[in-house]
C-alpha cells in the first residue's frame, strides 16, 4: 500500500467513501470505535492510566470488593490479563488484596481510598474525552445515542452469532 491510498488517510477521504459503506451501521460503528478507542487510550495515558484500570476501579466502586474471577466477569477483562492489571493497580496503592476468609486460596480485591480519588480524576478525564468524541451532538442527542447503543449492546450481550 502506498502513502496516497485512502486507507492511510481515512479522515481526508471520508467524503469519497462509497455510500454503500456509509449506510452500513456495522462499518460506521467500527470506524467510530477505532477513533473512540484511540482518543480514550491516549487521553487516559496522559492521566497515567489505562482503560482497564478504569474498568476495574469503577467495578469495585460500584459493586464492592470482588475476587479476580468476579472482576473479570464484571469488567470484560480476560482472566489471564486480570492479574497484570491488578498488579499495576496494587503497585500504585489503588487497590488492596486480602485473602478471602471463605477460601484462603483466592484474594478479595478492594478499591483503596487513593483508588477512589484516582477514579474521580479519571471520571473528569473521560467526561472531557467524551465531550470531544460527541462534539457534533447536542445534549439530548448524546443521551439518545448512549441509550440506543446500550439497547443494542444489551440485546446482543447474550446472543451467540452461531445460534
Amino acid at each position: 500500500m502506498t502513502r496516497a491510498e485512502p486507507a492511510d488517510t481515512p479522515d481526508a477521504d471520508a467524503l469519497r467513501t462509497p455510500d454503500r459503506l456509509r449506510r452500513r451501521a456495522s462499518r460506521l460503528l467500527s470506524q467510530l470505535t477505532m477513533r473512540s478507542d484511540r482518543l480514550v487510550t491516549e487521553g487516559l495515558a496522559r492521566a497515567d492510566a489505562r482503560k482497564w484500570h478504569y474498568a476495574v476501579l469503577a467495578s469495585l466502586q460500584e459493586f464492592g470488593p470482588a475476587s479476580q474471577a468476579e472482576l473479570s466477569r464484571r469488567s470484560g477483562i480476560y482472566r489471564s490479563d486480570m492479574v497484570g492489571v491488578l498488579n499495576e493497580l496494587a503497585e500504585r496503592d489503588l487497590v488492596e488484596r486480602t485473602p478471602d476468609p471463605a477460601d484462603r486460596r483466592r484474594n478479595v480485591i478492594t478499591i483503596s481510598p487513593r483508588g477512589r480519588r484516582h477514579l474521580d480524576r479519571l471520571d473528569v478525564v473521560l467526561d472531557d474525552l467524551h465531550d470531544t468524541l460527541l462534539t457534533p451532538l447536542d445534549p439530548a442527542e448524546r443521551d439518545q445515542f448512549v441509550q440506543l447503543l446500550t439497547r443494542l449492546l444489551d440485546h446482543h450481550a447474550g446472543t451467540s452469532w452461531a445460534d
Side-chain angles (χ1 to χ4, degrees):
M1 197 177 288
T2 65
R3 295 192 84 167
E5 291 186 72
D8 288 340
T9 57
D11 293 327
D13 289 331
L15 296 176
R16 293 179 38 203
T17 301
D19 285 341
R20 251 188 183 106
L21 296 177
R22 291 183 60 82
R23 289 191 312 257
R24 299 291 176 195
S26 58
R27 184 169 196 282
L28 295 171
L29 286 169
S30 177
Q31 295 291 305
L32 186 60
T33 296
M34 287 188 311
R35 286 169 172 77
S36 173
D37 200 44
R38 185 176 6 178
L39 178 74
V40 168
T41 298
E42 291 171 0
L44 287 175
R46 287 190 299 273
D48 195 27
R50 296 188 309 135
K51 62 184 174 181
W52 298 129
H53 295 167
Y54 183 80
V56 168
L57 294 173
S59 175
L60 291 170
Q61 175 71 24
E62 186 167 337
F63 299 116
S67 68
Q68 291 176 190
E70 179 64 22
L71 279 173
S72 177
R73 285 188 293 276
R74 288 182 191 171
S75 64
I77 300 171
Y78 290 115
R79 291 174 89 166
S80 58
D81 295 332
M82 182 58 73
V83 173
V85 172
L86 291 175
N87 286 344
E88 291 171 5
L89 293 171
E91 286 170 8
R92 298 171 59 192
D93 297 320
L94 300 175
V95 298
E96 298 166 354
R97 288 181 176 141
T98 56
D100 184 340
D103 183 351
R104 293 271 181 205
R105 293 171 295 174
R106 61 181 204 180
N107 289 316
V108 173
I109 314 303
T110 307
I111 189 170
S112 70
R114 185 175 180 178
R116 282 186 177 82
R117 291 189 300 275
H118 188 63
L119 180 61
D120 289 343
R121 286 190 297 275
L122 294 181
D123 280 333
V124 172
V125 169
L126 284 170
D127 287 346
D128 290 344
L129 293 170
H130 287 132
D131 282 345
T132 299
L133 179 69
L134 302 174
T135 294
L137 304 179
D138 66 39
E141 289 171 323
R142 291 176 186 200
D143 289 343
Q144 182 182 25
F145 182 65
V146 170
Q147 289 172 4
L148 291 170
L149 288 173
T150 301
R151 192 163 127 203
L152 284 168
L153 185 60
D154 288 350
H155 173 79
H156 291 290
T159 303
S160 168
W161 295 109
D163 290 345

